[in-house]
Amino acid sequence: MIPQFEDARLLPILEKVQTEQRLSPADGLVLYQTPDLLGVGYLANLVRERLHGDLTYFNVNRHINPTDVCTASCRLCAFGKKAKDPKGYTMSLEEVWHRAGEGYSEAVSEFHIVGGLHPELTLDWYCQMIRGLKERYPQVHLTAFTMVEVS
């Protein structure tokens, strides 16, 4: 059965995937640029099934947003608040650690942590937050911060 792709540019990639050929950088660009998300998902699933059979892996994560105070003012963001905005919030370290424990079970495998660019929170504060989470939940993987938060 040949799947119906909305983007015909995916057909040569399908052939490569089916014959286990390495994709080229140009193929990667097509996958990145195509609006055919279902087609890309189909291709990815072919590879997943070849590598893992019917097994599917996933994680159970908890989102933690320690603050919504942000200096960036990104046009696409509906999340960030200015430092003096009364609707803005910043959790204490104890609140972050408490939030991590809310709804926690052995199934939780990841804490996903992002927030704003708070003008007063220091690198030390963030390091204490991460250290405290790892001390309390050593088996939980931390996925933390966007590129702009780290820079």
Side-chain angles (χ1 to χ4, degrees), residues 12-68:
I13 297 172
L14 171 64
E15 185 175 331
K16 284 185 175 182
V17 167
Q18 289 174 328
T19 58
E20 299 185 30
Q21 294 179 47
R22 185 168 185 83
L23 300 183
S24 70
D27 295 330
L29 193 57
V30 168
L31 292 169
Y32 178 75
Q33 292 176 338
T34 183
D36 189 354
L37 185 58
L38 292 176
V40 172
Y42 178 84
L43 295 169
N45 189 57
L46 288 176
V47 174
R48 182 195 62 80
E49 286 180 350
R50 182 172 63 241
L51 295 174
H52 305 291
D54 279 346
L55 298 176
T56 300
Y57 300 92
F58 63 94
N59 64 32
V60 176
N61 69 26
R62 295 290 177 260
H63 285 259
I64 303 172
N65 304 108
T67 184
D68 68 349

Side-chain angles (χ1 to χ4, degrees), residues 94 97-98 128-129 131-139:
E94 290 75 21
W97 300 327
H98 177 77
Q128 286 181 55
M129 177 184 66
R131 200 172 308 119
L133 287 169
K134 287 308 285 182
E135 287 170 1
R136 288 161 177 79
Y137 307 97
Q139 72 285 4

Side-chain angles (χ1 to χ4, degrees), residues 4-12 30-31 33-37 39:
Q4 297 295 315
F5 290 115
E6 290 180 14
D7 186 345
R9 297 177 302 162
L10 295 179
L11 289 171
V30 168
L31 292 169
Q33 292 176 338
T34 183
D36 189 354
L37 185 58

Side-chain angles (χ1 to χ4, degrees), residues 42-133:
Y42 178 84
L43 295 169
N45 189 57
L46 288 176
V47 174
R48 182 195 62 80
E49 286 180 350
R50 182 172 63 241
L51 295 174
H52 305 291
D54 279 346
L55 298 176
T56 300
Y57 300 92
F58 63 94
N59 64 32
V60 176
N61 69 26
R62 295 290 177 260
H63 285 259
I64 303 172
N65 304 108
T67 184
D68 68 349
V69 173
C70 189
T71 60
S73 299
C74 300
R75 291 187 322 184
L76 63 95
C77 181
F79 176 74
K81 307 280 188 297
K82 294 294 179 197
K84 297 186 191 270
D85 188 329
K87 294 180 183 175
Y89 70 87
T90 302
M91 295 181 193
S92 67
L93 290 171
E94 290 75 21
E95 288 172 314
V96 170
W97 300 327
H98 177 77
R99 177 67 53 93
E102 289 178 343
Y104 176 79
S105 74
E106 294 300 316
V108 173
S109 58
E110 176 186 87
F111 293 135
H112 185 97
I113 305 165
V114 294
L117 302 177
H118 197 293
E120 297 173 14
L121 294 181
T122 64
L123 176 61
D124 183 60
W125 188 92
Y126 287 101
C127 290
Q128 286 181 55
M129 177 184 66
I130 296 296
R131 200 172 308 119
L133 287 169

